[in-house]
Amino acid sequence: MKELKKKLKSDHASIVIPLYNEELRLDYCFSVIKKFIRKKGKLFLEIIFVDDGSNDTSKKKIINFINKNKKNFLNTKIKLISYKKNMGKGNAIKRGILTSRYEWIITCDLDMSVLPDQFLTWKRKKLINNKKYAYFGSRENKDSVVQTLYVRRIIGFILHIFIWALFNIKTSDTQCGFKVFHSNYIKKIFKKIKIKGYVYDVEVVLALKKEDIKIAELPLTWIHKEGSKVNLIKDSVKFFFDLIVLKIRF
């Protein structure tokens, strides 16, 4: 009986999807989610959209999607968290994770550069098998399939060097949005996360290390999607500034 309950619980996953002014890319996201739900098998699923202060029609589109499909998806619940002020991706992820109810918590970017199917692939290959680990998708893994812009590769490399120099973090790709955590530890960690912007990933790595949670970097398929809200120059400058702030704190 205990084994049955354990297996049932391990087949529960929450997906946290942060967004800000994504009205143009939501339809594609919805289509990906529908396909994922059809192929997820016995997985009990909770999808949490976190609207980080959008001032377009994103909130309305998500509400319509939920209302239209809430009776159509087997063993799937779709939720929306929304607030008026844009706070940053880190804050959105934090809100979603603290709201999640299932055992495995997946963070996934709305552009679906990494499909949620990646979680099923990792599970099928038994790459996710330890509740005391965090699983990071890594574009630097030798077995990853990555299609991206050359300029992004250069900026990513520079950021990695900077992060390594400041914090001695050996994780090769802290910034990939596709990650899997376990409920045993992740809410305790995110309650302490203070960075609200993109540098939250680095703070999470430092917090995981402090709690003795190992990080496994796993291969994935990552395809660049147009329409990103990231300004490569402006956001990179802010990223470096937040890293300095984080360094002072740690």
Side-chain angles (χ1 to χ4, degrees):
M1 189 66 176
K2 289 183 178 180
E3 290 183 359
L4 179 60
K5 288 182 178 180
K6 184 177 181 181
K7 186 178 188 304
L8 180 63
K9 190 176 181 183
S10 67
D11 286 337
H12 287 58
S14 300
I15 301 180
V16 177
I17 305 176
L19 66 125
Y20 174 66
N21 287 349
E22 291 287 5
E23 60 182 4
L24 297 180
R25 300 198 292 182
L26 272 168
D27 288 338
Y28 173 69
C29 174
F30 294 154
S31 68
V32 170
I33 287 173
K34 287 180 179 179
K35 291 177 182 178
F36 177 67
I37 290 173
R38 286 196 291 266
K39 67 174 65 173
K40 68 181 178 61
K42 297 180 180 180
L43 181 71
F44 281 71
L45 190 63
E46 175 186 59
I47 300 173
I48 305 171
F49 288 99
V50 186
D51 177 18
D52 185 32
S54 296
N55 52 31
D56 62 359
T57 62
S58 293
K59 180 180 178 180
K60 181 179 179 180
K61 293 188 74 168
I62 294 170
I63 291 174
N64 289 340
F65 176 71
I66 293 173
N67 290 336
K68 184 178 179 180
N69 295 283
K70 59 185 176 183
K71 295 182 179 180
N72 300 332
F73 298 148
L74 182 64
N75 298 331
T76 299
K77 297 179 181 179
I78 305 177
K79 303 177 180 179
L80 170 64
I81 298 172
S82 181
Y83 41 89
K84 292 184 178 181
K85 185 178 180 180
N86 177 241
M87 304 291 286
K89 183 179 181 180
N91 183 75
I93 291 288
K94 179 176 181 176
R95 292 284 294 270
I97 286 179
L98 294 183
T99 303
S100 66
R101 299 187 307 157
Y102 287 165
E103 184 176 24
W104 294 104
I105 297 98
I106 305 160
T107 63
C108 181
D109 290 340
L110 182 131
D111 66 0
M112 298 290 144
S113 52
V114 180
L115 299 178
D117 306 48
Q118 191 67 65
F119 175 72
L120 301 179
T121 300
W122 288 348
K123 290 282 284 183
R124 186 176 66 251
K125 294 182 177 180
K126 301 187 185 305
L127 297 177
I128 297 179
N129 51 24
N130 194 320
K131 297 176 181 180
K132 294 183 179 180
Y133 269 67
Y135 299 92
F136 283 25
S138 175
R139 290 162 291 191
E140 301 303 320
N141 188 294
K142 63 181 179 62
D143 294 320
S144 290
V145 177
V146 178
Q147 297 178 25
T148 188
L149 301 176
Y150 183 72
V151 65
R152 284 184 172 271
R153 286 184 179 273
I154 296 298
I155 292 176
F157 176 75
I158 294 172
L159 291 179
H160 172 65
I161 294 298
F162 206 67
I163 291 169
W164 174 81
L166 284 176
F167 302 101
N168 193 29
I169 289 177
K170 295 181 174 59
T171 304
S172 64
D173 189 1
T174 59
Q175 302 312 116
C176 179
F178 198 87
K179 298 178 174 69
V180 179
F181 305 102
H182 194 271
S183 58
N184 279 348
Y185 60 81
I186 197 57
K187 289 190 178 183
K188 175 184 177 181
I189 284 176
F190 263 88
K191 284 178 181 178
K192 300 177 182 178
I193 297 300
K194 296 182 179 180
I195 295 289
K196 296 181 178 181
Y198 293 112
V199 173
Y200 87 93
D201 289 295
V202 180
E203 186 176 7
V204 169
V205 171
L206 295 172
L208 289 169
K209 183 177 180 181
K210 187 175 181 180
E211 294 294 328
D212 200 29
I213 303 297
K214 307 297 183 184
I215 296 174
E217 293 194 84
L218 303 182
L220 47 62
T221 298
W222 194 96
I223 299 176
H224 170 74
K225 296 293 191 302
E226 297 296 333
S228 173
K229 298 299 183 296
V230 177
N231 184 303
L232 290 180
I233 297 177
K234 180 181 176 181
D235 288 325
S236 293
V237 171
K238 188 177 187 308
F239 189 94
F240 285 121
F241 176 78
D242 285 346
L243 280 179
I244 298 301
V245 172
L246 187 61
K247 177 62 176 177
I248 293 172
R249 276 182 46 213
F250 276 80

